[in-house]
Amino acid sequence: MTLVEIRRFKSKNWGRQGCSPQRFMQVQQSRASSMARIKTTVQRGRSFLLQTARWSGGRDFCRSFCRNHSNAQHISMHLPPGYETFEAWILFLSEWRRQCNLPQDERLHVIAERKGFRWKIKEIFSLIENVEERIFLFDQIERWPLMIIEDVQRAWKESQREQPTPLLILSGALQGGLFSNRIWLHDYSMEESRELILSALQRELTEDEDQWLELSGGMPELVYALRWGMKNQSFEQAWLSIRREIRSVIELMSTREKLFERLLTVKDGGVPSLQELDISLVQAGLARMVLRDGRQITTLRAPLIAEVLEPTIETLL
């Protein structure tokens, strides 16, 4: 939306029930708005946390970003949950070195403190050519130990005062962090979802396909799977695995009485947000918080979630 359009909206809606242009722009939650903010932040040379709910297509974003930025590299880390702290440190540093084609360092095996781990991260920065021009993207950081998430950010901030540093994008389902810049990776709007699928199919959607698209709510991984299903005439098969994942998350929520009661309240329609409960639902991938008529509202993220939720309610009753 241009500034002129914002001013027109302001002049039309300003007042007790109106909202400022800044707040109106926040309502425009779309993948394109997230991408525009990401692009601006990168151009300013700022590292940031990319906050992604489940099924947001974070890995797809990382790969797409790297295709469009030759100086960007997607670093994928898998740290087994049973690892001791020092084992996780060694694996993390070894894997980062390996994916950057840097020689392995035998001294990694003697790291005993967090400051030693941070020092080794800064050493990686010093070994990379033209490091200030590089961008490293890490996804699914919610699966890392919290200590490593914090120390990666702290090492980058410490290194800034001493030497050139790369730009870091840490992507995952996290609410906070040491980086002051935090960006939500929004779902697709319904218009974006439709355009994405139409560009792949090169034909108009049938009435049934339209209904399936509405069920997706614009959730990226549902949209990607639906695109595959439409190409292969297999809708149910396309969403089978994601349905199971959604059901598992709902069953987990059912063990936390207050959160599950809140989920049932949200299911019946958009309700005024309760930060202390709704943020957990958002991070779990079941809900989204939006501005509507100047108020923050929490809704289910997709009609499909309500459909999966029904059998759970019947079982509990």
Side-chain angles (χ1 to χ4, degrees):
M1 172 169 280
T2 66
L3 289 176
V4 172
E5 290 170 323
I6 292 174
R7 290 192 187 100
R8 286 175 182 165
F9 180 85
K10 176 180 176 180
S11 63
K12 180 180 178 181
N13 297 278
W14 201 258
R16 181 179 293 273
Q17 300 302 320
C19 64
S20 68
Q22 292 80 8
R23 295 189 72 192
F24 180 74
M25 291 183 75
Q26 292 175 23
V27 180
Q28 312 307 304
Q29 292 191 357
S30 65
R31 200 69 158 194
S33 65
S34 289
M35 294 305 186
R37 190 175 172 199
I38 289 167
K39 182 179 179 181
T40 300
T41 306
V42 168
Q43 288 174 339
R44 292 175 177 172
R46 296 176 179 174
S47 293
F48 59 92
L49 283 173
L50 183 63
Q51 296 174 275
T52 60
R54 290 175 191 261
W55 312 297
S56 291
R59 179 155 293 182
D60 178 80
F61 159 78
C62 289
R63 290 168 177 163
S64 175
F65 184 92
C66 290
R67 285 195 297 269
N68 294 307
H69 296 78
S70 59
N71 58 335
Q73 183 174 355
H74 177 205
I75 305 289
S76 183
M77 294 281 187
H78 175 65
L79 303 176
Y83 266 36
E84 296 289 341
T85 300
F86 77 92
E87 292 177 312
W89 285 339
I90 293 169
L91 178 58
F92 184 92
L93 293 167
S94 297
E95 195 57 23
W96 195 346
R97 280 175 169 266
R98 185 187 68 79
Q99 295 192 42
C100 289
N101 295 316
L102 296 176
Q104 291 299 322
D105 184 358
E106 294 182 0
R107 292 174 297 174
L108 291 181
H109 297 281
V110 296
I111 296 176
E113 295 181 298
R114 292 179 66 176
K115 63 181 180 182
F117 175 64
R118 294 196 297 270
W119 185 83
K120 283 296 184 182
I121 292 175
K122 290 184 280 187
E123 185 179 61
I124 290 177
F125 296 161
S126 70
L127 295 173
I128 297 173
E129 293 184 5
N130 302 317
V131 67
E132 67 275 14
E133 299 175 7
R134 299 289 298 278
I135 304 172
F136 292 108
L137 289 81
F138 298 87
D139 67 348
Q140 297 182 327
I141 66 170
E142 72 276 5
R143 299 184 180 183
W144 300 357
L146 287 175
M147 189 182 299
I148 286 184
I149 298 173
E150 180 180 338
D151 281 339
V152 168
Q153 296 172 81
R154 193 177 297 280
W156 182 85
K157 293 172 80 72
E158 291 173 358
S159 187
Q160 268 196 315
R161 298 190 291 267
E162 304 164 1
Q163 63 183 18
T165 55
L167 189 152
L168 301 184
I169 301 176
L170 305 183
S171 170
L174 289 179
Q175 184 62 23
L178 299 181
F179 286 165
S180 58
N181 296 294
R182 299 168 194 170
I183 301 174
W184 270 104
L185 186 62
H186 294 309
D187 291 343
Y188 293 110
S189 66
M190 293 311 298
E191 292 77 12
E192 289 175 323
S193 301
R194 186 178 302 279
E195 289 175 8
L196 189 68
I197 289 180
L198 289 179
S199 65
L201 297 181
Q202 294 296 305
R203 62 171 175 80
E204 291 300 316
L205 302 185
T206 66
E207 186 175 337
D208 285 344
E209 289 171 337
D210 254 327
Q211 292 176 356
W212 281 89
L213 182 59
E214 289 295 327
L215 276 177
S216 76
M219 285 172 56
E221 292 187 19
L222 284 179
V223 175
Y224 300 152
L226 185 58
R227 179 176 58 186
W228 178 89
M230 289 180 179
K231 284 183 175 180
N232 295 277
Q233 291 77 48
S234 180
F235 300 122
E236 285 290 348
Q237 187 67 28
W239 280 356
L240 195 60
S241 63
I242 300 180
R243 276 180 178 272
R244 282 198 295 262
E245 291 175 17
I246 293 173
R247 187 174 296 111
S248 296
V249 174
I250 290 174
E251 289 173 354
L252 179 61
M253 286 292 166
S254 70
T255 65
R256 303 174 64 180
E257 186 176 347
K258 288 185 178 180
L259 278 179
F260 191 67
E261 288 178 357
R262 180 61 179 170
L263 182 61
L264 297 183
T265 302
V266 170
K267 170 185 173 293
D268 296 329
V271 295
S273 298
L274 292 177
Q275 296 281 338
E276 63 273 18
L277 293 176
D278 295 351
I279 285 177
S280 295
L281 296 180
V282 171
Q283 288 181 310
L286 300 177
R288 62 165 63 107
M289 297 165 68
V290 299
L291 280 174
R292 184 182 297 169
D293 298 327
R295 296 187 305 159
Q296 192 169 53
I297 300 295
T298 301
T299 67
L300 282 187
R301 198 169 166 203
L304 179 69
I305 294 174
E307 187 178 288
V308 176
L309 181 57
E310 286 295 341
T312 305
I313 298 173
E314 294 173 3
T315 301
L316 292 175
L317 294 177

PDB file of all heavy atoms in Angstrom, residues 63-87:
ATOM      1  N   ARG A  63      15.749 -21.739   1.321  1.00  0.00           N
ATOM      2  CA  ARG A  63      16.242 -22.172   0.010  1.00  0.00           C
ATOM      3  C   ARG A  63      15.936 -21.131  -1.061  1.00  0.00           C
ATOM      4  O   ARG A  63      16.776 -20.834  -1.916  1.00  0.00           O
ATOM      5  CB  ARG A  63      15.612 -23.509  -0.351  1.00  0.00           C
ATOM      6  CG  ARG A  63      16.127 -24.667   0.514  1.00  0.00           C
ATOM      7  CD  ARG A  63      15.292 -25.908   0.335  1.00  0.00           C
ATOM      8  NE  ARG A  63      15.829 -27.027   1.093  1.00  0.00           N
ATOM      9  CZ  ARG A  63      15.154 -28.117   1.384  1.00  0.00           C
ATOM     10  NH1 ARG A  63      13.906 -28.262   0.953  1.00  0.00           N
ATOM     11  NH2 ARG A  63      15.708 -29.099   2.087  1.00  0.00           N
ATOM     12  N   SER A  64      14.735 -20.559  -1.003  1.00  0.00           N
ATOM     13  CA  SER A  64      14.356 -19.531  -1.968  1.00  0.00           C
ATOM     14  C   SER A  64      15.224 -18.296  -1.819  1.00  0.00           C
ATOM     15  O   SER A  64      15.675 -17.707  -2.806  1.00  0.00           O
ATOM     16  CB  SER A  64      12.877 -19.165  -1.782  1.00  0.00           C
ATOM     17  OG  SER A  64      12.514 -18.097  -2.622  1.00  0.00           O
ATOM     18  N   PHE A  65      15.489 -17.900  -0.565  1.00  0.00           N
ATOM     19  CA  PHE A  65      16.323 -16.730  -0.305  1.00  0.00           C
ATOM     20  C   PHE A  65      17.728 -16.938  -0.873  1.00  0.00           C
ATOM     21  O   PHE A  65      18.298 -16.045  -1.499  1.00  0.00           O
ATOM     22  CB  PHE A  65      16.395 -16.482   1.204  1.00  0.00           C
ATOM     23  CG  PHE A  65      17.155 -15.242   1.586  1.00  0.00           C
ATOM     24  CD1 PHE A  65      16.500 -14.033   1.744  1.00  0.00           C
ATOM     25  CD2 PHE A  65      18.537 -15.276   1.787  1.00  0.00           C
ATOM     26  CE1 PHE A  65      17.199 -12.881   2.092  1.00  0.00           C
ATOM     27  CE2 PHE A  65      19.232 -14.142   2.132  1.00  0.00           C
ATOM     28  CZ  PHE A  65      18.566 -12.934   2.293  1.00  0.00           C
ATOM     29  N   CYS A  66      18.282 -18.132  -0.662  1.00  0.00           N
ATOM     30  CA  CYS A  66      19.637 -18.412  -1.143  1.00  0.00           C
ATOM     31  C   CYS A  66      19.705 -18.449  -2.667  1.00  0.00           C
ATOM     32  O   CYS A  66      20.735 -18.077  -3.248  1.00  0.00           O
ATOM     33  CB  CYS A  66      20.142 -19.733  -0.553  1.00  0.00           C
ATOM     34  SG  CYS A  66      20.480 -19.651   1.223  1.00  0.00           S
ATOM     35  N   ARG A  67      18.618 -18.885  -3.307  1.00  0.00           N
ATOM     36  CA  ARG A  67      18.609 -18.875  -4.776  1.00  0.00           C
ATOM     37  C   ARG A  67      18.671 -17.455  -5.320  1.00  0.00           C
ATOM     38  O   ARG A  67      19.209 -17.219  -6.398  1.00  0.00           O
ATOM     39  CB  ARG A  67      17.345 -19.580  -5.301  1.00  0.00           C
ATOM     40  CG  ARG A  67      17.384 -21.089  -5.201  1.00  0.00           C
ATOM     41  CD  ARG A  67      16.298 -21.730  -6.052  1.00  0.00           C
ATOM     42  NE  ARG A  67      14.959 -21.366  -5.618  1.00  0.00           N
ATOM     43  CZ  ARG A  67      14.243 -22.053  -4.730  1.00  0.00           C
ATOM     44  NH1 ARG A  67      14.764 -23.145  -4.174  1.00  0.00           N
ATOM     45  NH2 ARG A  67      13.034 -21.665  -4.392  1.00  0.00           N
ATOM     46  N   ASN A  68      18.124 -16.513  -4.559  1.00  0.00           N
ATOM     47  CA  ASN A  68      18.073 -15.124  -5.009  1.00  0.00           C
ATOM     48  C   ASN A  68      19.197 -14.256  -4.456  1.00  0.00           C
ATOM     49  O   ASN A  68      19.269 -13.067  -4.772  1.00  0.00           O
ATOM     50  CB  ASN A  68      16.721 -14.501  -4.625  1.00  0.00           C
ATOM     51  CG  ASN A  68      15.568 -15.148  -5.354  1.00  0.00           C
ATOM     52  OD1 ASN A  68      15.565 -15.253  -6.578  1.00  0.00           O
ATOM     53  ND2 ASN A  68      14.582 -15.623  -4.616  1.00  0.00           N
ATOM     54  N   HIS A  69      20.046 -14.832  -3.597  1.00  0.00           N
ATOM     55  CA  HIS A  69      21.177 -14.096  -3.017  1.00  0.00           C
ATOM     56  C   HIS A  69      22.415 -14.995  -3.093  1.00  0.00           C
ATOM     57  O   HIS A  69      22.549 -15.924  -2.297  1.00  0.00           O
ATOM     58  CB  HIS A  69      20.897 -13.702  -1.565  1.00  0.00           C
ATOM     59  CG  HIS A  69      19.750 -12.740  -1.403  1.00  0.00           C
ATOM     60  ND1 HIS A  69      18.429 -13.149  -1.466  1.00  0.00           N
ATOM     61  CD2 HIS A  69      19.736 -11.389  -1.185  1.00  0.00           C
ATOM     62  CE1 HIS A  69      17.646 -12.096  -1.288  1.00  0.00           C
ATOM     63  NE2 HIS A  69      18.406 -11.023  -1.115  1.00  0.00           N
ATOM     64  N   SER A  70      23.272 -14.715  -4.038  1.00  0.00           N
ATOM     65  CA  SER A  70      24.434 -15.574  -4.282  1.00  0.00           C
ATOM     66  C   SER A  70      25.387 -15.624  -3.093  1.00  0.00           C
ATOM     67  O   SER A  70      26.162 -16.569  -2.952  1.00  0.00           O
ATOM     68  CB  SER A  70      25.187 -15.103  -5.528  1.00  0.00           C
ATOM     69  OG  SER A  70      25.615 -13.755  -5.370  1.00  0.00           O
ATOM     70  N   ASN A  71      25.347 -14.614  -2.220  1.00  0.00           N
ATOM     71  CA  ASN A  71      26.247 -14.574  -1.070  1.00  0.00           C
ATOM     72  C   ASN A  71      25.629 -15.208   0.167  1.00  0.00           C
ATOM     73  O   ASN A  71      26.203 -15.171   1.253  1.00  0.00           O
ATOM     74  CB  ASN A  71      26.638 -13.126  -0.746  1.00  0.00           C
ATOM     75  CG  ASN A  71      25.427 -12.244  -0.472  1.00  0.00           C
ATOM     76  OD1 ASN A  71      24.326 -12.530  -0.931  1.00  0.00           O
ATOM     77  ND2 ASN A  71      25.623 -11.171   0.279  1.00  0.00           N
ATOM     78  N   ALA A  72      24.433 -15.812   0.016  1.00  0.00           N
ATOM     79  CA  ALA A  72      23.744 -16.423   1.157  1.00  0.00           C
ATOM     80  C   ALA A  72      23.937 -17.936   1.144  1.00  0.00           C
ATOM     81  O   ALA A  72      23.993 -18.564   0.090  1.00  0.00           O
ATOM     82  CB  ALA A  72      22.261 -16.087   1.115  1.00  0.00           C
ATOM     83  N   GLN A  73      24.027 -18.512   2.340  1.00  0.00           N
ATOM     84  CA  GLN A  73      24.207 -19.960   2.468  1.00  0.00           C
ATOM     85  C   GLN A  73      23.293 -20.489   3.560  1.00  0.00           C
ATOM     86  O   GLN A  73      23.271 -19.976   4.684  1.00  0.00           O
ATOM     87  CB  GLN A  73      25.665 -20.299   2.794  1.00  0.00           C
ATOM     88  CG  GLN A  73      25.929 -21.796   2.874  1.00  0.00           C
ATOM     89  CD  GLN A  73      27.404 -22.125   3.060  1.00  0.00           C
ATOM     90  OE1 GLN A  73      28.255 -21.235   3.037  1.00  0.00           O
ATOM     91  NE2 GLN A  73      27.717 -23.380   3.259  1.00  0.00           N
ATOM     92  N   HIS A  74      22.551 -21.531   3.212  1.00  0.00           N
ATOM     93  CA  HIS A  74      21.652 -22.190   4.162  1.00  0.00           C
ATOM     94  C   HIS A  74      22.447 -23.247   4.921  1.00  0.00           C
ATOM     95  O   HIS A  74      22.971 -24.188   4.322  1.00  0.00           O
ATOM     96  CB  HIS A  74      20.489 -22.828   3.394  1.00  0.00           C
ATOM     97  CG  HIS A  74      19.541 -23.586   4.251  1.00  0.00           C
ATOM     98  ND1 HIS A  74      18.764 -24.622   3.760  1.00  0.00           N
ATOM     99  CD2 HIS A  74      19.235 -23.481   5.565  1.00  0.00           C
ATOM    100  CE1 HIS A  74      18.025 -25.105   4.726  1.00  0.00           C
ATOM    101  NE2 HIS A  74      18.291 -24.446   5.832  1.00  0.00           N
ATOM    102  N   ILE A  75      22.570 -23.076   6.239  1.00  0.00           N
ATOM    103  CA  ILE A  75      23.286 -24.047   7.068  1.00  0.00           C
ATOM    104  C   ILE A  75      22.251 -24.840   7.864  1.00  0.00           C
ATOM    105  O   ILE A  75      21.556 -24.283   8.724  1.00  0.00           O
ATOM    106  CB  ILE A  75      24.262 -23.353   8.048  1.00  0.00           C
ATOM    107  CG1 ILE A  75      25.238 -22.445   7.300  1.00  0.00           C
ATOM    108  CG2 ILE A  75      24.999 -24.394   8.884  1.00  0.00           C
ATOM    109  CD1 ILE A  75      26.271 -23.175   6.493  1.00  0.00           C
ATOM    110  N   SER A  76      22.118 -26.118   7.549  1.00  0.00           N
ATOM    111  CA  SER A  76      21.134 -26.957   8.229  1.00  0.00           C
ATOM    112  C   SER A  76      21.812 -27.763   9.327  1.00  0.00           C
ATOM    113  O   SER A  76      22.797 -28.466   9.075  1.00  0.00           O
ATOM    114  CB  SER A  76      20.464 -27.900   7.228  1.00  0.00           C
ATOM    115  OG  SER A  76      19.464 -28.663   7.858  1.00  0.00           O
ATOM    116  N   MET A  77      21.320 -27.621  10.550  1.00  0.00           N
ATOM    117  CA  MET A  77      21.914 -28.308  11.702  1.00  0.00           C
ATOM    118  C   MET A  77      20.910 -29.263  12.330  1.00  0.00           C
ATOM    119  O   MET A  77      19.753 -28.898  12.553  1.00  0.00           O
ATOM    120  CB  MET A  77      22.317 -27.279  12.772  1.00  0.00           C
ATOM    121  CG  MET A  77      23.423 -26.356  12.360  1.00  0.00           C
ATOM    122  SD  MET A  77      25.028 -27.187  12.499  1.00  0.00           S
ATOM    123  CE  MET A  77      26.115 -25.788  12.146  1.00  0.00           C
ATOM    124  N   HIS A  78      21.344 -30.471  12.625  1.00  0.00           N
ATOM    125  CA  HIS A  78      20.531 -31.409  13.382  1.00  0.00           C
ATOM    126  C   HIS A  78      21.326 -31.832  14.609  1.00  0.00           C
ATOM    127  O   HIS A  78      22.346 -32.526  14.496  1.00  0.00           O
ATOM    128  CB  HIS A  78      20.170 -32.643  12.548  1.00  0.00           C
ATOM    129  CG  HIS A  78      19.432 -33.692  13.323  1.00  0.00           C
ATOM    130  ND1 HIS A  78      18.169 -33.478  13.833  1.00  0.00           N
ATOM    131  CD2 HIS A  78      19.796 -34.946  13.705  1.00  0.00           C
ATOM    132  CE1 HIS A  78      17.773 -34.561  14.481  1.00  0.00           C
ATOM    133  NE2 HIS A  78      18.744 -35.463  14.420  1.00  0.00           N
ATOM    134  N   LEU A  79      20.887 -31.374  15.774  1.00  0.00           N
ATOM    135  CA  LEU A  79      21.582 -31.683  17.023  1.00  0.00           C
ATOM    136  C   LEU A  79      20.742 -32.687  17.807  1.00  0.00           C
ATOM    137  O   LEU A  79      19.670 -32.335  18.317  1.00  0.00           O
ATOM    138  CB  LEU A  79      21.796 -30.409  17.847  1.00  0.00           C
ATOM    139  CG  LEU A  79      22.557 -29.282  17.134  1.00  0.00           C
ATOM    140  CD1 LEU A  79      22.618 -28.040  18.011  1.00  0.00           C
ATOM    141  CD2 LEU A  79      23.965 -29.731  16.769  1.00  0.00           C
ATOM    142  N   PRO A  80      21.166 -33.941  17.905  1.00  0.00           N
ATOM    143  CA  PRO A  80      20.389 -34.960  18.617  1.00  0.00           C
ATOM    144  C   PRO A  80      20.073 -34.515  20.041  1.00  0.00           C
ATOM    145  O   PRO A  80      20.942 -34.000  20.743  1.00  0.00           O
ATOM    146  CB  PRO A  80      21.328 -36.177  18.613  1.00  0.00           C
ATOM    147  CG  PRO A  80      22.208 -35.969  17.416  1.00  0.00           C
ATOM    148  CD  PRO A  80      22.416 -34.484  17.333  1.00  0.00           C
ATOM    149  N   PRO A  81      18.821 -34.683  20.482  1.00  0.00           N
ATOM    150  CA  PRO A  81      18.417 -34.194  21.800  1.00  0.00           C
ATOM    151  C   PRO A  81      19.156 -34.838  22.971  1.00  0.00           C
ATOM    152  O   PRO A  81      19.246 -34.260  24.043  1.00  0.00           O
ATOM    153  CB  PRO A  81      16.916 -34.518  21.851  1.00  0.00           C
ATOM    154  CG  PRO A  81      16.714 -35.586  20.818  1.00  0.00           C
ATOM    155  CD  PRO A  81      17.710 -35.316  19.749  1.00  0.00           C
ATOM    156  N   GLY A  82      19.706 -36.032  22.777  1.00  0.00           N
ATOM    157  CA  GLY A  82      20.367 -36.714  23.879  1.00  0.00           C
ATOM    158  C   GLY A  82      21.820 -36.310  24.088  1.00  0.00           C
ATOM    159  O   GLY A  82      22.488 -36.813  25.003  1.00  0.00           O
ATOM    160  N   TYR A  83      22.329 -35.416  23.260  1.00  0.00           N
ATOM    161  CA  TYR A  83      23.738 -35.031  23.340  1.00  0.00           C
ATOM    162  C   TYR A  83      24.033 -34.238  24.610  1.00  0.00           C
ATOM    163  O   TYR A  83      23.221 -33.425  25.064  1.00  0.00           O
ATOM    164  CB  TYR A  83      24.123 -34.183  22.126  1.00  0.00           C
ATOM    165  CG  TYR A  83      24.724 -34.970  20.978  1.00  0.00           C
ATOM    166  CD1 TYR A  83      24.277 -36.248  20.678  1.00  0.00           C
ATOM    167  CD2 TYR A  83      25.742 -34.431  20.209  1.00  0.00           C
ATOM    168  CE1 TYR A  83      24.818 -36.968  19.631  1.00  0.00           C
ATOM    169  CE2 TYR A  83      26.297 -35.148  19.150  1.00  0.00           C
ATOM    170  CZ  TYR A  83      25.821 -36.412  18.869  1.00  0.00           C
ATOM    171  OH  TYR A  83      26.366 -37.116  17.829  1.00  0.00           O
ATOM    172  N   GLU A  84      25.222 -34.491  25.168  1.00  0.00           N
ATOM    173  CA  GLU A  84      25.732 -33.634  26.239  1.00  0.00           C
ATOM    174  C   GLU A  84      26.069 -32.264  25.638  1.00  0.00           C
ATOM    175  O   GLU A  84      26.259 -32.146  24.421  1.00  0.00           O
ATOM    176  CB  GLU A  84      26.988 -34.244  26.867  1.00  0.00           C
ATOM    177  CG  GLU A  84      26.763 -35.582  27.560  1.00  0.00           C
ATOM    178  CD  GLU A  84      25.985 -35.447  28.846  1.00  0.00           C
ATOM    179  OE1 GLU A  84      25.936 -34.310  29.392  1.00  0.00           O
ATOM    180  OE2 GLU A  84      25.414 -36.452  29.296  1.00  0.00           O
ATOM    181  N   THR A  85      26.186 -31.245  26.497  1.00  0.00           N
ATOM    182  CA  THR A  85      26.431 -29.883  26.018  1.00  0.00           C
ATOM    183  C   THR A  85      27.695 -29.794  25.172  1.00  0.00           C
ATOM    184  O   THR A  85      27.695 -29.233  24.076  1.00  0.00           O
ATOM    185  CB  THR A  85      26.527 -28.907  27.196  1.00  0.00           C
ATOM    186  OG1 THR A  85      25.299 -28.933  27.930  1.00  0.00           O
ATOM    187  CG2 THR A  85      26.778 -27.490  26.709  1.00  0.00           C
ATOM    188  N   PHE A  86      28.796 -30.392  25.668  1.00  0.00           N
ATOM    189  CA  PHE A  86      30.058 -30.280  24.930  1.00  0.00           C
ATOM    190  C   PHE A  86      29.986 -31.020  23.599  1.00  0.00           C
ATOM    191  O   PHE A  86      30.612 -30.617  22.612  1.00  0.00           O
ATOM    192  CB  PHE A  86      31.230 -30.794  25.789  1.00  0.00           C
ATOM    193  CG  PHE A  86      31.344 -32.286  25.884  1.00  0.00           C
ATOM    194  CD1 PHE A  86      32.136 -33.001  24.992  1.00  0.00           C
ATOM    195  CD2 PHE A  86      30.663 -32.986  26.874  1.00  0.00           C
ATOM    196  CE1 PHE A  86      32.248 -34.375  25.080  1.00  0.00           C
ATOM    197  CE2 PHE A  86      30.758 -34.363  26.965  1.00  0.00           C
ATOM    198  CZ  PHE A  86      31.554 -35.065  26.071  1.00  0.00           C
ATOM    199  N   GLU A  87      29.190 -32.107  23.548  1.00  0.00           N
ATOM    200  CA  GLU A  87      29.027 -32.831  22.287  1.00  0.00           C
ATOM    201  C   GLU A  87      28.264 -31.985  21.273  1.00  0.00           C
ATOM    202  O   GLU A  87      28.585 -31.974  20.075  1.00  0.00           O
ATOM    203  CB  GLU A  87      28.276 -34.142  22.538  1.00  0.00           C
ATOM    204  CG  GLU A  87      29.060 -35.171  23.338  1.00  0.00           C
ATOM    205  CD  GLU A  87      28.246 -36.424  23.622  1.00  0.00           C
ATOM    206  OE1 GLU A  87      27.087 -36.288  24.061  1.00  0.00           O
ATOM    207  OE2 GLU A  87      28.749 -37.540  23.391  1.00  0.00           O
TER     208      GLU A  87
END
